[in-house]
Every structure is written in C-alpha cells, then in structure tokens.
Amino acid sequence: MFKVIKPAAMMLVMLTLLTGVIYPALVTGLAQALFPAQANGSLIRDSQGKAVGSALIGQSFSNGKYFWGRPSATAPYPYNAGASSGSNLGPINPALADAVKTRIEALRAADPENKTPVPVDLVTASGSGLDPHISPAAAEYQVNRIAKARRIDPDKLREMVRSHTEGRQWGFLGEPKANVLALNRALDAIR
Amino acid sequence: MTSNGFLQIAVYVIVLLGLAKPLGGYMARIYRDKSIRPMRWVGSIESLIYRLGGVKPEQEMRWTEYAAALLVFNLLGLIAVYALQRFQSYLPLNPQHLAAVTPDSAFNTAVSFATNTNWQGYGGETTMSYLTQTLGLTVQNFASAATGMAVLVALIRGFIRRNQETIGNFWVDMTRSTLYILLPLSLLLALALVAQGVVQTFSPYQTVALAEAVSYEQPKLGADGQPVKNHEGKPVLEKIEVREQTLALGPAASQIAIKQLGTNGGGFFNVNSAHPFENPTPLSNFLEMLSILLIPAALCYTFGAMVGDTRQGWAILAAMTVIFVALVFVTVPAEQYGNPVLASLGTDQAPSAAQPGGNMEGKETRFGIVNSALWAVVTTSASNGSVNAMHDSFTPIGGMIPMWLMQLGEVVYGGVGSGLYGMIVFALVAVFVAGLMIGRTPEYLGKKIEAFEMKMASVAILIPPLVVLGGAAIAVMVAAGKSSVFNPGAHGFSEVLYAFSSAGNNNGSAFAGLSANTPFYNFMLGLAMLFARYWLAVPVLAIAGSLAAKKIVPAGSGTLPTHTPLFMALLIGTVLMVGALTFIPALALGPIVEHLQMTK
C-alpha cells in the first residue's frame, strides 16, 4: 500500500504547486499587468477618485427620479454584492405571482398614466441579484415617469437611453441592454 | 424562437464541432507520447515532476494498479480539500476572515470537487477563503478533470492493445492531461475572461459608495444576542440604512477557466456564472459555454484517431450531437414561451428587438432567454453543472430537460473523459443488443465483447439510476429531507429529484431553492457523488484491462460496422431507452405534473 501512497502524495504536492500556486499567481500577475481595471472589479470613480460603483454590478434604485433596475433577491437587502443570490421561486409558486403583482402595482402607482404591459425583465428577479442591466423596453417603460419627475423633455430622455443602449456583442451575441447605474449617473449629470 | 436565437445556437454548434478535429488531433498526439514542437520545453517540466514525484513514467500498470493509483490520489486530494476548509481561519489569504467550514459541509465539498461534480452547498464569497479556493478547489478542478481523461485514455488503450496485461501509467496520463491540455487552455481562457471583466486579484473585497441608500428592517438583537421582543411577544424590528456596497472579489478568472474546461462547474461566487464578475458579457458567456463542451467533444476525435479509424469517433460525436441539438430545441422554446401565470398579471413576455421576453425570473438581462436556456442544456449534457441562470425558476419543461440529460448518465458529450468512457460503455451495450438480434458474438473495434465486459458495463449503467432514484426516495420519506424543500407542490419534489440526479451523475448544478447545506443532504449527496464517480471509473478500468488482454479479431461479414448511421441510431436508441424507461415515472411526479398545473 505504501508503494502507492508515496507517489500519490508526492504527485499531489507537485500538482498543487503547479495548478494551485504557480497557475493562479501567473494569471493574477498577467491580469494585473494587462487588464488592471477589469481584474479589480471594473470600478467607476467620481471626479475626486472615490469608487462609486462597478460598471458590472447593479445598485438598487427606488426613487421615481431614477431608472429602476431588475428586482434583486439578495439578502438581507437588494443588490448585496457580498452575497449574490437568485430568488429560486418556481414558476407556479404563488409567492412568485405575489411578488410580481406587488412590483407591477408599484410601477403603476409611480406612473398612473402608463397602461402598457410591463416588460417582464422589469418585474422578475435576476439570477445573480446583481444584474446591472435592464432591457431597452424596460427603460422605455420608465421614460415618462422620470421625465415628469425631473421636468425634462421625454424625447431628450429617449435620446439618452438610446445612446446608453448596448446592442448585441459582435452584432449577434447576447441581448440588447442598458446599464442602469450609467443611465442614472447620466441623469444626475444633466442638472 | 427568434431568428437571432437560431443564429446564436447555430454559431455555437458550428464552432464547437469545428474545433473537435484540431484539438482532438492534438490530444491524440499528446496521449501517443509524441512531443509537439512549440511545447517541447514543457517536456523538461514533465520529467522534473516525475523525478520529484518519484514516478517511473515508463513503468506500465495493470488495471488494478491503475485503479489503485487513481483511488489513492483522489482520496489524498479529498483529504487535502477537507483540511484546508477546516483550518482556513488559521491560514493565510483569508482577507475576509471567513470561519472554518462545518465538518459536514467540508466533507460534501471535498467529495464534490474530488469527483468532478462540484455540487455546492455553500456560497463561495461568504464561505471560502482565497487560499481554499486556489490551493484546494482550483487544484481539484485540474486533478479531477485529469483523472477522467486518464481513465478514458486507459480504456482506449484497451481497444488498441492486444494480448497485453497493462493499460498505461496513471501518473503519466494524469500529468500529461494537465500539463499539455488543461493548463495551456486554462491560461488562455482565464486571460480572455479577465479582458471581458472577470476579476482576478488577491485583494480584499472592495467597498464603494451607493448612489441611493438602501434601507431594510431586521430583528433587533439584545445584549445576549437574542432578538428583543415587545410586550406582544413579537420581535422588535430595527431599521438599517446601507450607504455602501461591498463588492466580493477574488482570484476568480483562474478558477473559472478550469471550472469550465474541466467540466467541473463549481462557481467562485454563490450564483456561479450568473454573477457579473464571473461572466460579465455575452462574449465571456460564449467562451465559457464553448469551453464546457470543447474537450468532451474533441475527445471523440481523439478516440477515433487513437483507435486508427476516425470514423468511429465521428459516429459517436454525431450521436451525441443529435441528442444535444434535439433537446436544445425543447428547452429554448419552453423558456421563450414564458410563464402563463405572469402573462395574466399584465407583463409583456413577447420577444422583440427591445427585450428578451419569456421566462426571465432567475435570468440575467445580458444573456436573455436563448443564452440562458442553451447554457442549461450545455452544462447538463456535459457533467459541468455551472449555471448562468437559476434552474429552479425555469419553466417545468425547461427545467425537466436539464434534469433528464443528467439522468441519461452524462454521456451526451459528458464530463472530460468520463462522458466518452460512459458513452463507450453504452456502445458496448448497443453492440451486445445487436449481437443478440443477429445471433453472433458481439464485437467492438475488433474486440470480442463477452460476459465480463457486459457485467462491468451493466454495473456502470445501473449504479447511477440506483443512486438517483434510491436517494430521492429516501429524501422525500424522511423529515430531514423534506424540511429543506423550498417551493411547494410538485416543484418541491423536482428540487429533490434534481439534487440526486445531479450528485448521482457528477453534474453539480442544482434547483438551488433546496437548502442542501444540512447534515442530511451533505452526507447523502456526498455518498451519491462517491458512488457515481468511482463505481463507474473502476468498472471501466476493469473493461480496459480485460480488452487489452484480448486479441484483435479482423472484421468479418458478420461484424456490425460501428461507424454507420445505423449504429448511431442504435446507440442513440440505447441511451434514450435506458434513460426513458428508468426515469419517466419519476419525472411524471415532478415537472410533468407541474407543467399540467401551469397550463391548465
């Protein structure tokens, strides 16, 4: 038996050095040298250089003057980037229907004139609870509410949404989307 | 389905199949012991490893010695991961001061990563230190993948060799798989992922200011740590205002690369590849999804090249692809159709240029429906198990297909190495069935398939269903199993069945509503993973040993050719028949009932 254990132990040590020490260290070194911004979390900094978010991680917005993002199921508060989580609600779980109903009511209460159906991504929780994006349809749904709250021309706002909308990567990969934090920072920059 | 949906799926399948030959041919050269010119310098690292490890690379092993080396190596790896988790609070590279993992969870995780399952009962960013992630989990990502590839190569040698006692050297096969295949590909992929935005750092978590403060209520705790209660006996709530966001970081890219390439699937963060730091863009998503099936598909070509008839490899790859594509076109439309319950509430689920529509609960906007549903099929046809959307929130049919793909035994591409050796076992059954029909001794690749091979093949095919159905049955009978269920009704049963299908076939994905980080599930699923991995690998090595000792009979007029469409149909039929007969009764109690309830 010892005849097997000794090489097994030594080979595990060798493999650990190679794939558990050298490999992660090499990737970290190259990543920090070649892509430092991405490797450290794609941080957004304000004019004073203070980190005010990540381009990849969403934040929670509930004020009517801002674009609202996807509902988030992280605990104990939404968009907790220290503990990602989805809702894991099944499709016919009554709790899912209740949650969606509450979200639709909140959207309708904030913008009573808008009678159009709500884009589904705006009322369903994202997989990570940190989704930074909404669909262009979900942004359009909120334009009139924000235009009224901020007293700006809705068409100007639409133009802003268009310029912040990213199309499919390479023209065909993924889905069109708009970054909510970027949109709201642009809103705050207007005035 | 949208035309863009068809396009994204078509591009994926074409790129995957297009890479099978170049990568498969390269791997065949590696396993035939040929050096590759630009990688000759790696040879000196290889010899150094053997020298320091005290291994004689030219020493051939019988199948029993090969199996013993594999088992002991995996056992030691398992112990190392367990120890790292238990002692991480005393060890360096733990900037968040995470506590030691509980014994049952540490056991489950150690088994999970050693067996290439990567089932995760824990949330990465709140549980594992950077040291545990790299020195423990990343290492096992490589080791378990290389183990699977080694077993496959040993089985292929069984077909090539004649009248020999030995099937190769485990240490050499494992080391060469790591050095020449897994490491270079991982390095490339990791850097590509960082370029897209995947984090790779050993710094502590980053705190950023929030644009809008968030407030929430939680029970107030007294000095004794117990919730304070008011005069009605209800807990007093206190309002907490959060003005900062803590961004979990870590050496993620290096681990994610091998997690995909090695069909491991264990996420660095809790929500795996749905996390924007683990899978930030549609391009990173495409690369990760491609990496899941890349090596399993290419190994089919390697198999053909090594047995000297590439048509044999293409036939198996074609059979896998037929099943795969058919099931993609069940899952994607099911998810795109959406949830009738939400439609009745006034949501717009129609896909358009401005929104993905469909069943978006648990999915990310950047991936939409097509990439989430395609990923679900990819990750469960391989024994990968990483997710980019929450399978628990899929529609009943959309969630049933991933579950069934696991139950088929992870042979549609399957895990690196393990998928193809599983499929070859099914091929043995297929030629055996054909042999019975025409009344001749079955042969495969010139080897007579006799009682010993069939016994071993039966063990390999019957153990996983026994583990899956037996385990799920026990779990729904005992209180400890039922109390972890999250969703009510048929979906709750699906959560349990999915968990055992995943562990019992070394996949690792989950219907994550199930609270699986309990002593009951940690133990039961840990056992399931051990059975599923080693009660397959060892019989397969036994088959390899038995085949290597046989002579090669030249093909005669009574030989069933195994590269024809007829054989492919027979192989597909065997896989689907075993999977359907075994699991449809159980599936009827879960997703099928739920589908009928949803559409009533």
Side-chain angles (χ1 to χ4, degrees):
Chain A
M1 198 62 192
F2 185 71
K3 241 174 65 193
V4 190
I5 292 178
K6 198 180 156 204
M10 288 312 292
M11 290 302 280
L12 181 63
V13 171
M14 292 291 120
L15 197 74
T16 303
L17 279 176
L18 192 65
T19 63
V21 179
I22 297 172
Y23 163 70
L26 183 64
V27 175
T28 308
L30 288 170
Q32 292 289 340
L34 297 172
F35 312 106
Q38 292 97 316
N40 294 310
S42 306
L43 298 180
I44 305 169
R45 295 187 186 276
D46 65 10
S47 47
Q48 284 96 49
K50 190 175 145 210
V52 292
S54 163
L56 297 176
I57 303 287
Q59 295 188 7
S60 172
F61 291 96
S62 54
N63 189 316
K65 288 160 70 178
Y66 285 119
F67 283 97
W68 299 351
R70 303 278 308 275
S72 162
T74 61
Y77 52 91
Y79 287 93
N80 176 3
S84 57
S85 174
S87 76
N88 286 315
L89 290 171
I92 61 169
N93 189 334
L96 174 66
D98 289 345
V100 170
K101 211 182 288 173
T102 310
R103 292 163 190 157
I104 292 177
E105 281 162 7
L107 283 163
R108 296 237 195 275
D111 185 13
E113 288 157 37
N114 193 346
K115 304 271 190 267
T116 55
V118 185
V120 66
D121 61 301
L122 196 53
V123 288
T124 46
S126 63
S128 61
L130 307 173
D131 193 344
H133 299 112
I134 51 176
S135 67
E140 166 60 30
Y141 183 87
Q142 305 183 62
V143 159
N144 279 327
R145 182 194 78 222
I146 298 162
K148 213 179 290 169
R150 292 191 176 248
R151 296 203 196 91
I152 45 178
D153 179 10
D155 284 332
K156 200 177 152 196
L157 208 51
R158 280 198 183 91
E159 188 46 49
M160 201 190 92
V161 170
R162 245 193 308 279
S163 68
H164 277 83
T165 299
E166 303 163 51
R168 294 195 160 101
Q169 205 168 3
W170 291 2
F172 72 99
L173 284 174
E175 300 290 331
K177 58 198 184 289
N179 186 306
V180 177
L181 182 58
L183 274 175
N184 287 336
R185 285 176 57 79
L187 277 178
D188 279 343
I190 291 177
R191 43 177 60 211
Chain B
M1 266 187 67
T2 59
S3 54
N4 172 267
F6 279 106
L7 177 67
Q8 295 203 50
I9 293 167
V11 169
Y12 177 78
V13 175
I14 290 168
V15 173
L16 176 69
L17 297 181
L19 289 172
K21 188 175 171 184
L23 179 62
Y26 168 79
M27 290 193 287
R29 286 182 68 96
I30 295 299
Y31 290 126
R32 283 199 195 114
D33 229 7
K34 295 213 170 84
S35 68
I36 309 282
R37 196 178 292 271
M39 301 197 72
R40 219 163 255 169
W41 58 277
V42 181
S44 47
I45 302 179
E46 189 188 351
S47 343
L48 182 70
I49 291 176
Y50 297 145
R51 208 166 59 240
L52 294 176
V55 168
K56 293 192 189 70
E58 65 290 337
Q59 202 168 49
E60 288 272 327
M61 297 176 172
R62 294 161 184 269
W63 81 263
T64 44
E65 295 165 320
Y66 202 101
L70 180 154
L71 290 173
V72 173
F73 177 70
N74 277 222
L75 177 68
L76 293 182
L78 196 158
I79 293 170
V81 176
Y82 180 83
L84 274 168
Q85 293 177 84
R86 298 288 292 140
F87 296 117
Q88 69 176 10
S89 54
Y90 305 108
L91 296 171
L93 289 180
N94 185 3
Q96 302 310 122
H97 307 290
L98 296 165
V101 182
T102 57
D104 58 306
S105 176
F107 161 76
N108 182 282
T109 304
V111 169
S112 177
F113 279 75
T115 57
N116 199 254
T117 312
N118 302 36
W119 169 269
Q120 294 173 293
Y122 62 91
E125 66 268 47
T126 52
T127 314
M128 299 295 176
S129 75
Y130 292 169
L131 187 78
T132 311
Q133 296 262 29
T134 49
L135 210 56
L137 303 185
T138 303
V139 171
Q140 284 307 309
N141 272 308
F142 279 99
S144 63
T147 299
M149 292 161 89
V151 174
L152 173 69
V153 176
L155 177 61
I156 296 175
R157 287 200 194 99
F159 286 107
I160 308 169
R161 294 185 171 181
R162 56 188 83 190
N163 309 323
Q164 281 187 33
E165 298 281 306
T166 59
I167 55 172
N169 180 312
F170 173 72
W171 307 119
V172 172
D173 293 337
M174 195 269 301
T175 307
R176 290 181 76 83
S177 302
T178 308
L179 261 185
Y180 291 93
I181 301 165
L182 297 171
L183 259 178
L185 286 174
S186 298
L187 193 59
L188 284 178
L189 179 63
L191 290 176
L193 291 178
V194 176
Q196 287 296 304
V198 175
V199 293
Q200 178 72 26
T201 171
F202 283 92
S203 310
Y205 295 177
Q206 169 82 37
T207 305
V208 299
L210 280 177
E212 186 185 304
V214 184
S215 57
Y216 68 99
E217 288 182 328
Q218 69 172 28
K220 193 173 177 177
L221 298 183
D224 56 351
Q226 293 301 311
V228 179
K229 293 190 172 150
N230 64 11
H231 59 277
E232 286 170 17
K234 286 188 181 150
V236 178
L237 296 178
E238 60 179 347
K239 198 168 169 181
I240 309 239
E241 197 177 56
V242 184
R243 299 185 159 276
E244 286 179 329
Q245 190 177 39
T246 301
L247 306 175
L249 300 173
S254 54
Q255 188 171 328
I256 294 162
I258 184 61
K259 134 194 155 183
Q260 305 298 57
L261 285 163
T263 60
N264 295 282
F268 193 88
F269 301 108
N270 184 37
V271 291
N272 209 303
S273 280
H275 198 294
F277 280 161
E278 191 150 343
N279 189 6
T281 66
L283 180 59
S284 71
N285 189 70
F286 183 84
L287 292 175
E288 289 187 25
M289 207 160 50
L290 183 66
S291 309
I292 295 176
L293 292 183
L294 180 65
I295 296 179
L299 279 171
C300 294
Y301 184 87
T302 308
F303 166 66
M306 287 180 77
V307 298
D309 181 0
T310 48
R311 294 173 307 176
Q312 304 292 342
W314 287 122
I316 288 187
L317 184 60
M320 292 172 169
T321 305
V322 167
I323 301 177
F324 171 76
V325 171
L327 294 182
V328 165
F329 285 105
V330 178
T331 307
V332 177
E335 290 305 299
Q336 190 68 70
Y337 182 78
N339 183 346
V341 180
L342 302 192
S344 66
L345 295 175
T347 59
D348 180 6
Q349 299 186 64
S352 72
Q355 68 156 358
N359 177 28
M360 281 299 284
E361 180 73 21
K363 297 189 178 64
E364 298 281 294
T365 310
R366 60 194 181 284
F367 307 139
I369 298 296
V370 176
N371 281 300
S372 302
L374 177 60
W375 180 300
V377 178
V378 168
T379 193
T380 49
S381 37
S383 74
N384 183 279
S386 65
V387 296
N388 75 348
M390 298 300 112
H391 290 188
D392 213 348
S393 298
F394 270 38
T395 60
I397 300 300
M400 179 180 79
I401 296 299
M403 183 153 31
W404 195 49
L405 268 165
M406 298 188 293
Q407 292 165 344
L408 290 181
E410 296 294 18
V411 294
V412 180
Y413 306 113
V416 287
S418 61
L420 185 54
Y421 68 64
M423 194 56 151
I424 292 174
V425 167
F426 271 105
L428 297 184
V429 175
V431 291
F432 180 74
V433 170
L436 287 181
M437 288 194 278
I438 54 174
R440 292 188 60 111
T441 312
E443 298 158 19
Y444 187 55
L445 305 175
K447 296 281 186 175
K448 278 206 162 66
I449 306 305
E450 290 164 308
F452 181 77
E453 288 79 26
M454 284 318 296
K455 278 183 202 157
M456 291 298 130
S458 309
V459 169
I461 285 179
L462 292 177
I463 288 288
L466 192 68
V467 170
V468 172
L469 295 175
I474 293 171
V476 294
M477 281 191 297
V478 301
K482 284 186 286 193
S483 61
S484 289
V485 169
F486 174 64
N487 281 291
H491 197 89
F493 173 71
S494 298
E495 285 180 348
V496 175
L497 183 62
Y498 196 102
F500 282 94
S501 302
S502 177
N505 290 285
N506 296 130
N507 182 275
S509 67
F511 271 15
L514 185 78
S515 308
N517 198 356
T518 63
F520 174 79
Y521 279 105
N522 278 331
F523 178 70
M524 289 288 286
L525 296 173
L527 278 189
M529 292 186 275
L530 285 172
F531 273 108
R533 180 69 167 180
Y534 300 111
W535 279 48
L536 254 73
V538 174
V540 166
L541 287 175
I543 293 175
S546 160
L547 291 177
K550 294 184 191 214
K551 61 180 197 284
I552 293 181
V553 277
S557 58
T559 306
L560 173 75
T562 50
H563 60 267
T564 58
L566 176 69
F567 179 73
M568 279 157 48
L570 191 64
L571 183 58
I572 293 170
T574 309
V575 171
L576 294 186
M577 204 56 108
V578 172
L581 291 178
T582 317
F583 289 105
I584 280 183
L587 291 171
L589 296 175
I592 294 174
V593 167
E594 192 189 12
H595 178 75
L596 296 175
Q597 287 175 317
M598 186 180 82
T599 52
K600 72 167 183 273

